[in-house]
Amino acid sequence: MTPRQILADFLRHEVFSLGSLSRSKSITVLAVKAQTLGIEKDISHTLAIEVLDDLVLAGDIGAWTSFGEPMLLFLDRRATAIDEQNTVIFGGAPADGELFGLLRRIATDTVFEQETSEFSPNLSEVETQSIAALVNDGKWSPSVSLSPALRKALLHLGCEPDAKLSAPADDILKEWLLTLTPASQSGGLDVSQQIVVSEDQNARLVVTAGPGCGKTHTASARVIELVKSGVSPASIHLITFTRVAAQEISERVTSALADQVYGAGIQSFTLDSFAWHLIGSIEDQAASGGFDRSIRRASALLSAREQRLLDWVGRIGHLIIDEAQDVVGIRQELCTQLIAALPASVGVTVFGDWAQAIYGAWSDQSKKTSSSASNLHSHLSASEDWKKLELSFNHRAGSSKLKALASNAREALGDTELPNKERYLLVREMLENAASTQGADLLDQRIPWSFDNLILTRSRMAAETASARLSLRGRPHRLKLSGHTQVVEPLIGAICAGKTAGELLTQSDVEQRMEALSPAPFGWTSDEAYDLLKSVAGTGKAVPRLSDIVAKIEQSPILIAHDYIGQSGPLIGSVHGAKGKEAEDVFFLMPPIPDHEDVDWDEEARVLFVAGSRASKRLHLGRTRPVFGSVRTDGSRWISGRGGGLALSGNDGLSPLPGRDAVDAIWEATFDQPRCTFRRESVDSEWHLVLQNGKAVAIAIDPLAENLNYLADGALSLPLGSLRIAGSSTVVATRRDGKPIGVSLLPVLQGTARSGSQFDEKGNA
């Protein structure tokens, strides 16, 4: 018991035994009692008055005047139901119920002879926001001035001045805030979201946002509020984890500010594209060497305070970073250097969630000094210079099972008193309890099969294996591509192939290519295709230049790119690839309990939590066989056992052949989706990707070529197997030095490349 609880309990017993008691005498007795608890004399008197007044305000004891003397009075027992589990009692015998802050509570279903009232305080919008701030701070600071109505509401909710919220009080506050009337919520925001949105534009905030808490909605509203308060849209830089999230926020902001001249121009990036733009502002070959090279280069220049880069950063008026818990390794270093380079007057809003941190394996373990430095969110949360806020309410979970999973699993993940393996097993059990279907097979007819639903696996290799199985059974689906692989609208490459970077693209050029393509582009007219090219070029010129299109394709713009292959059916991918996604029905192929050494049980538990929290209505669980294999240092994925080999999805490691013949063959294969393999003329010559009709359509480059050499073991070809053409993507054709020379088309692969003999354990080397 806290000192305040001890004093409250003592006063209840005194009033109960005597029936009434002088207020002044009560204060004196309470002050003496406080001193026996080790409280200083000058503080004990003030504390006695506060406890007495709180019990009177809450209705636990009565107050009246007898012949001018203020008195305290015993009251008969009454009760107020807070929620379905908790009822607060007032008056009556002090031994009734259990302590709940300064008051007492009983279970709501307890037989109670007196009438029970409902908890329905009449609070203003400002007062409800104060309660949300209390939830964020996790403590009721006695220095904060509160209205009597709000103070009474907090006492009824089991809160105590100068003490942390108990778990029941915290839960009740959050649940109660969800019941607030729309009038107390601004712009469709719940109270916790409104607090984030209304923070000062110069504030530096770390916002913890669990699954379904409306993080994207809040980030969009934050941007809108910044613009309305006078921040230039072009100076607001938004860095998100995926292009889809960046596009979604941009569209929401543009729509909300459509009636305002200054509403356009928000700068939205993924972290990788942000680094690309940063370096591109001072160097000609920003993209040469890939995103990782740009990130390392940008970090180094920011660390060195390179003036041209600082001038570019100086344009930022407010920075928003999303999914900070998954910003690890070199990307965490870039963000840290970027924030350090900003003037102190520039506000930063960082969103993240410790319970969804599942990219620990991507960070540089050798440089970790503590768990607090493992990702950007935990690093900033540990800093006293940042204000910590939390989005408190799950708006996604649409069933009682999923709501219980969201809250209980999160609590289990944070229970550091449990051994980490026990936490994992507990979260696993919670997923099973929340599932609408258990033990389902991938082809189970009970699983809803629609475009909007998700099929999740623990690993990328497991997703590819599941996709291959579905393809053999002819079941339509889409496969989430790995890494930075993007499918850029293939019609662009099919039209532009054969032209050099400096050429203009005329309406006549487009019409001729559209007529030559077989099969004819479905759903496209030549006018629509030309409008697309002009839009991609983005120069506003009547006749676009190919070099402008090349520059935009190198950035994989959201409007012409997506990160999956396939046309219909649910999306299959790893849990990591599903970050930011949700679906009414989620089918999770839950892996067996890990039995290998050095298992990171905490991260495995968080992976389960992320998988289960993608569902808004129903979670379906299936079992999957372990997929054994390894990922090499070059990023290649090797699957061992029967049907194993080099797993390929996307077009990494492929380079286009010159001319239009290969492009036309790829265009046709995009629709036919034939099997394919790799061949070469001699052991010293290049590997070519060839269709089953023998037509060569691309060249293999390192590290793919090196892996093919390993697989072939001296042979000149690999057998036809499960590898097939699953689609195609527009790419930039370059010279050997990396300089762009035009636009072409590459096939998108799906399947496994195998040697002529049974794949053996060497594939795991």
Side-chain angles (χ1 to χ4, degrees):
M1 295 174 64
T2 67
R4 286 178 185 265
Q5 288 178 319
I6 294 173
L7 295 180
D9 188 60
F10 178 79
L11 182 58
R12 270 192 296 267
H13 278 83
E14 288 291 302
V15 175
F16 175 72
S17 62
L18 297 175
S20 65
L21 190 64
S22 163
R23 174 183 170 88
S24 60
K25 183 177 180 180
S26 299
I27 293 173
T28 301
V29 171
L30 276 185
V32 171
K33 181 67 175 177
Q35 292 174 45
T36 66
L37 300 176
I39 298 173
E40 297 179 5
K41 185 176 181 179
D42 55 341
I43 298 177
S44 63
H45 184 78
T46 302
L47 182 61
I49 294 174
E50 289 180 359
V51 171
L52 186 152
D53 287 343
D54 279 341
L55 291 186
V56 171
L57 177 65
D60 201 19
I61 57 177
W64 67 303
T65 302
S66 176
F67 301 103
E69 173 76 13
M71 301 290 291
L72 302 180
L73 180 69
F74 167 77
L75 298 175
D76 292 333
R77 191 168 73 163
R78 303 167 330 283
T80 294
I82 301 298
D83 57 19
E84 294 179 355
Q85 288 78 39
N86 299 280
T87 291
V88 177
I89 57 176
F90 316 97
D96 292 343
E98 63 177 357
L99 281 176
F100 188 50
L102 298 186
L103 304 177
R104 294 156 294 151
R105 68 175 175 180
I106 57 175
T108 297
D109 59 2
T110 301
V111 176
F112 196 73
E113 62 274 17
Q114 287 86 11
E115 183 178 351
T116 301
S117 63
E118 295 295 327
F119 177 67
S120 56
N122 183 20
L123 303 178
S124 68
E125 181 177 346
V126 173
E127 288 169 333
T128 55
Q129 290 183 19
S130 297
I131 290 185
L134 174 73
V135 172
N136 275 316
D137 295 339
K139 183 178 181 179
W140 177 355
S141 173
S143 62
V144 176
S145 178
L146 302 175
S147 68
L150 178 53
R151 191 177 187 94
K152 180 178 180 180
L154 294 178
L155 291 168
H156 285 191
L157 288 169
C159 300
E160 178 186 348
D162 203 24
K164 290 183 178 179
L165 300 180
S166 65
D170 185 63
D171 290 341
I172 290 170
L173 278 171
K174 290 178 179 178
E175 288 296 324
W176 175 67
L177 282 174
L178 282 173
T179 68
L180 292 176
T181 60
S184 67
Q185 302 183 25
S186 175
L189 300 169
D190 67 41
V191 179
S192 63
Q193 292 169 344
Q194 182 62 35
I195 288 174
V196 174
V197 170
S198 59
E199 281 286 341
D200 187 83
Q201 68 185 50
N202 306 119
R204 297 208 166 182
L205 310 175
V206 180
V207 183
T208 298
C213 286
K215 175 169 55 62
T216 301
H217 182 51
T218 306
S220 303
R222 174 77 167 146
V223 172
I224 293 167
E225 187 64 25
L226 288 170
V227 173
K228 289 183 176 180
S229 65
V231 180
S232 167
S235 74
I236 299 175
H237 283 55
L238 174 67
I239 299 177
T240 66
F241 199 69
T242 65
R243 291 180 174 86
V244 174
Q247 177 68 12
E248 182 178 356
I249 293 176
S250 295
E251 289 177 350
R252 290 189 186 189
V253 171
T254 301
S255 175
L257 300 175
D259 59 338
Q260 302 183 43
V261 176
Y262 53 80
I266 306 297
Q267 305 296 304
S268 298
F269 308 92
T270 63
L271 189 55
D272 297 327
S273 65
F274 177 78
W276 191 93
H277 280 83
L278 199 63
I279 298 301
S281 67
I282 62 173
E283 296 181 359
D284 294 334
Q285 296 293 324
S288 177
F291 285 122
D292 282 2
R293 180 262 178 192
S294 293
I295 287 172
R296 289 190 174 91
R297 179 68 175 151
S299 293
L301 291 174
L302 284 171
S303 177
R305 297 296 187 264
E306 208 287 338
Q307 189 57 50
R308 289 177 298 167
L309 211 56
L310 292 180
D311 291 342
W312 193 92
V313 171
R315 299 184 237 165
I316 299 176
H318 193 94
L319 177 65
I320 298 178
I321 301 176
D322 191 15
E323 299 285 7
Q325 79 280 351
D326 291 331
V327 177
V328 298
I330 59 174
R331 287 161 179 78
Q332 179 183 346
E333 177 65 19
L334 172 60
C335 286
T336 303
Q337 292 294 343
L338 173 61
I339 293 170
L342 292 172
S345 59
V346 173
V348 183
T349 306
V350 176
F351 292 91
D353 181 22
W354 59 269
Q356 297 185 76
I358 59 174
Y359 279 83
W362 273 252
S363 59
D364 186 348
Q365 300 289 335
S366 65
K367 293 183 179 180
K368 287 185 182 180
T369 57
S370 69
S371 60
S372 66
S374 60
N375 61 66
L376 183 64
H377 180 259
S378 57
H379 172 70
L380 297 179
S381 295
S383 171
E384 296 181 356
D385 298 329
W386 290 71
K387 184 173 183 178
K388 288 79 177 178
L389 298 174
E390 182 177 1
L391 303 184
S392 307
F393 314 118
N394 187 331
H395 300 279
R396 176 183 299 164
S399 71
S400 58
K401 283 186 175 182
L402 293 177
K403 287 179 180 177
L405 172 64
S407 60
N408 296 339
R410 190 178 188 85
E411 182 178 349
L413 290 171
D415 187 355
T416 56
E417 294 183 1
L418 275 178
N420 52 11
K421 184 175 181 179
E422 288 188 28
R423 283 199 296 271
Y424 167 82
L425 294 174
L426 181 57
V427 173
R428 188 182 179 97
E429 180 182 349
M430 290 175 177
L431 254 69
E432 293 170 341
N433 293 336
S436 300
T437 309
Q438 289 196 52
D441 182 79
L442 188 60
L443 301 174
D444 198 312
Q445 295 301 315
R446 294 176 295 171
I447 306 302
W449 208 262
S450 71
F451 186 89
D452 296 326
N453 293 337
L454 294 173
I455 299 175
L456 302 181
T457 62
R458 170 62 184 87
S459 68
R460 175 68 198 167
M461 286 187 284
E464 291 172 346
T465 301
S467 175
R469 184 183 176 200
L470 289 172
S471 296
L472 289 173
R473 298 297 182 94
R475 201 126 198 230
H477 65 282
R478 295 166 295 137
L479 176 64
K480 172 78 168 59
L481 296 172
S482 61
H484 301 298
T485 305
Q486 296 283 309
V487 174
V488 177
E489 172 57 53
L491 183 60
I492 298 172
I495 292 175
C496 298
K499 286 188 169 291
T500 58
E503 288 189 68
L504 296 173
L505 285 169
T506 65
Q507 179 85 39
S508 176
D509 293 330
V510 174
E511 291 173 352
Q512 292 177 18
R513 281 299 288 161
M514 293 282 284
E515 291 177 3
L517 291 175
S518 177
F522 178 75
W524 288 93
T525 65
S526 58
D527 287 342
E528 290 171 339
Y530 197 47
D531 288 341
L532 170 66
L533 294 175
K534 289 189 289 185
S535 174
V536 172
T539 59
K541 297 178 180 178
V543 182
R545 190 176 297 276
L546 188 60
S547 57
D548 296 323
I549 295 176
V550 167
K552 290 298 176 64
I553 292 174
E554 283 185 314
Q555 304 170 33
S556 295
I558 299 165
L559 293 177
I560 59 170
H562 52 267
D563 59 358
Y564 61 84
I565 52 177
Q567 301 298 319
S568 62
L571 181 67
I572 298 179
S574 68
V575 176
H576 291 82
K579 291 302 294 292
K581 299 183 184 297
E582 66 175 274
E584 290 189 355
D585 287 272
V586 172
F587 182 29
F588 179 37
L589 292 168
M590 193 158 62
I593 298 172
D595 59 1
H596 54 85
E597 296 181 0
D598 300 325
V599 177
D600 186 341
W601 292 106
D602 287 334
E603 181 149 324
E604 291 299 323
R606 291 193 295 267
V607 168
L608 296 183
F609 176 66
V610 171
S613 62
R614 300 307 94 194
S616 63
K617 288 191 176 180
R618 291 166 292 273
L619 174 64
H620 309 275
L621 293 183
R623 292 288 185 265
T624 181
R625 300 171 190 161
V627 178
F628 297 105
S630 64
V631 179
R632 291 184 175 179
T633 55
D634 62 9
S636 60
R637 300 181 303 281
W638 296 81
I639 303 175
S640 59
R642 184 178 180 183
L646 175 61
L648 298 173
S649 65
N651 52 34
D652 289 344
L654 297 179
S655 180
L657 286 167
R660 285 179 172 170
D661 287 346
V663 169
D664 290 343
I666 293 170
W667 176 263
E668 184 176 355
T670 300
F671 299 89
D672 296 341
Q673 299 196 347
R675 290 191 296 166
C676 56
T677 188
F678 291 93
R679 294 178 186 168
R680 57 183 174 179
E681 294 182 358
S682 69
V683 293
D684 297 322
S685 61
E686 295 175 318
W687 284 100
H688 285 78
L689 177 69
V690 296
L691 307 180
Q692 62 187 59
N693 63 9
K695 178 68 176 179
V697 292
I699 300 170
I701 57 176
D702 289 336
L704 174 59
E706 291 183 355
N707 289 321
L708 295 176
N709 289 336
Y710 170 79
L711 273 177
D713 195 22
L716 300 183
S717 66
L718 301 180
L720 280 171
S722 67
L723 192 65
R724 68 182 181 92
I725 306 295
S728 59
S729 176
T730 295
V731 297
V732 174
T734 62
R735 301 188 315 198
R736 291 187 179 273
D737 62 2
K739 184 175 182 179
I741 57 175
V743 173
S744 189
L745 205 59
L746 275 180
V748 176
L749 302 179
Q750 181 185 5
T752 305
R754 304 183 63 201
S755 64
S757 58
Q758 179 69 29
F759 184 70
D760 57 29
E761 293 301 319
K762 290 192 299 181
N764 284 326

